[in-house]
Amino acid sequence: MANKEEVKKYLAHWFQLGKKVVIGNEGTKMLPQPIFQGDRYSKDFEECWQKILLSAGDCYLEGTDETIAELLTPAWEMWPCSRCSMPVPMKNVGMPAAFCPCNDLPGWPNTDLPAPRCPINNEEQLKNIRNRLLGNLTSANY
């Protein structure tokens, strides 16, 4: 089952490639900018996420057919796209989603660009790099 956090990450990844969320009953398209603020999602992203949750039954990512409400049911899970490795919804039982949202992105996947990501804590990342380097130095001395 795709939980709220997985669906939130799914949207954050696709927002980084310019995909918008469509609210059907309003015909509104939303693309929060910026997506990150330091090591967390931005205020604009969080406000967009709250609007999405309020209209989940009539909200979907551009280029997809599944509503956000459907993705939050036990019938769906998030898996990496076999073409581009981006998160895509897959049904637990039955037919998978018709298309990956990357279907209509010209030039994607592009391995020359950094891949979309989740928010990161720079301090934690640097500590992990330091620890790996120290581990390599220690093992090289033996």
Side-chain angles (χ1 to χ4, degrees), residues 7 16 19-20 53 58 75 82 98 122 124 130 137 141:
V7 173
Q16 290 173 67
K19 288 282 184 174
K20 298 174 182 151
L53 290 176
D58 208 19
S82 59
N122 290 332
E124 284 299 314
R130 180 199 65 200
L137 288 175
N141 291 333

Side-chain angles (χ1 to χ4, degrees), residues 42-100:
S42 70
K43 181 181 178 207
D44 195 30
F45 178 89
E46 291 292 352
E47 288 173 0
C48 179
W49 174 243
Q50 291 307 312
K51 288 177 188 174
I52 289 167
L53 290 176
L54 290 174
S55 304
D58 208 19
C59 250
Y60 59 93
L61 183 68
E62 263 183 335
T64 67
D65 296 322
E66 303 80 31
T67 67
I68 302 303
E70 288 175 311
L71 298 181
L72 292 169
T73 66
W76 294 89
E77 292 181 356
M78 294 296 160
W79 290 90
C81 170
S82 59
R83 178 173 174 245
C84 71
S85 299
M86 291 283 286
V88 292
M90 297 289 254
K91 261 192 168 176
N92 289 333
V93 178
M95 295 298 294
F99 299 104
C100 171

